[in-house]
Amino acid sequence: MKLRMALILLTAFVLGSATQVAAQDMGDAAQTVEHLRAQLGEVQDQEAERRIRLEQLDYDLRPENIERYFNGYGSTRPEELRESRRRQLQTEKDRLLGQLEQLASRRARLEAEIASAQAKAYQQSAMGAAALRTDKDRNGHLLTFARVLVGIVALILVLGGLALRVVIRR
């Protein structure tokens, strides 16, 4: 009884270790392109929002608009207030320019990834997903095949041992 349980566990272990789960199916290239395009759209929206805010800041940074901002304020030092407002607006503008640079580099990276994914999707549609396996995938399949062979040999040895044991007892 213990031997049968050990045999079952050994078989389950060998077959379980032989299976391989792919993280991403090769047919997902078209979905990847769509996902990347959605990300690109989001980046473009963010860029547009930042540019609109940048235009507003440029308008607000005009000296007449800074002065108009403080109309109705009573102060003994209006120059300091105007300078403080100008620095605040300039700091926000500099921050937005930095964000725009980051978004532009992200947009360029996404456009390159989209081009790569589109090429991959085209190749998959032209040659079929089975023909496009990377060396890593091939090595993974060979390793899995080797594991299955080792498992089968081990199973044959265990069954042979059981058969030999039954023959010796008789």
Side-chain angles (χ1 to χ4, degrees):
M1 187 66 173
K2 288 181 182 181
L3 190 58
R4 282 185 184 169
M5 190 60 99
L7 178 64
I8 291 171
L9 288 175
L10 178 67
T11 304
F13 175 74
V14 169
L15 293 178
S17 65
T19 60
Q20 181 178 3
V21 177
Q24 183 178 10
D25 190 17
M26 296 297 282
D28 289 339
Q31 291 175 346
T32 302
V33 170
E34 291 305 316
H35 179 69
L36 290 172
R37 283 186 181 157
Q39 286 181 354
L40 180 62
E42 291 172 8
V43 168
Q44 289 171 337
D45 291 343
Q46 290 173 358
E47 276 184 311
E49 291 171 5
R50 301 302 192 286
R51 290 187 194 283
I52 290 169
R53 179 63 184 143
L54 195 59
E55 288 178 18
Q56 180 64 41
L57 285 173
D58 284 337
Y59 179 78
D60 290 344
L61 274 167
R62 294 181 186 163
E64 63 270 10
N65 292 331
I66 290 175
E67 193 168 322
R68 194 177 305 141
Y69 181 81
F70 288 109
N71 282 349
Y73 283 93
S75 175
T76 58
R77 294 182 252 175
E79 296 84 23
E80 290 179 14
L81 286 175
R82 287 192 292 268
E83 182 59 26
S84 172
R85 173 76 174 159
R86 189 195 64 73
R87 275 185 279 145
Q88 176 189 14
L89 293 173
Q90 188 62 44
T91 301
E92 186 176 354
K93 181 179 177 180
D94 293 342
R95 183 181 53 83
L96 279 174
L97 288 172
Q99 289 176 354
L100 278 171
E101 288 176 14
Q102 289 176 347
L103 289 171
S105 67
R106 184 173 176 206
R107 180 177 35 83
R109 181 184 54 83
L110 283 171
E111 288 171 349
E113 287 180 14
I114 287 172
S116 174
Q118 284 176 331
K120 185 176 179 180
Y122 175 76
Q123 287 175 347
Q124 284 180 357
S125 68
M127 297 185 333
L132 292 175
R133 291 202 176 125
T134 62
D135 290 334
K136 184 177 180 181
D137 289 339
R138 288 182 184 151
N139 290 339
H141 289 299
L142 290 175
L143 182 62
T144 302
F145 181 70
R147 286 181 183 171
V148 169
L149 284 178
V150 168
I152 290 172
V153 169
L155 184 61
I156 290 172
L157 289 174
V158 169
L159 289 176
L162 285 175
L164 184 63
R165 187 172 178 186
V166 167
V167 168
I168 291 174
R169 282 193 176 183
R170 287 188 180 176

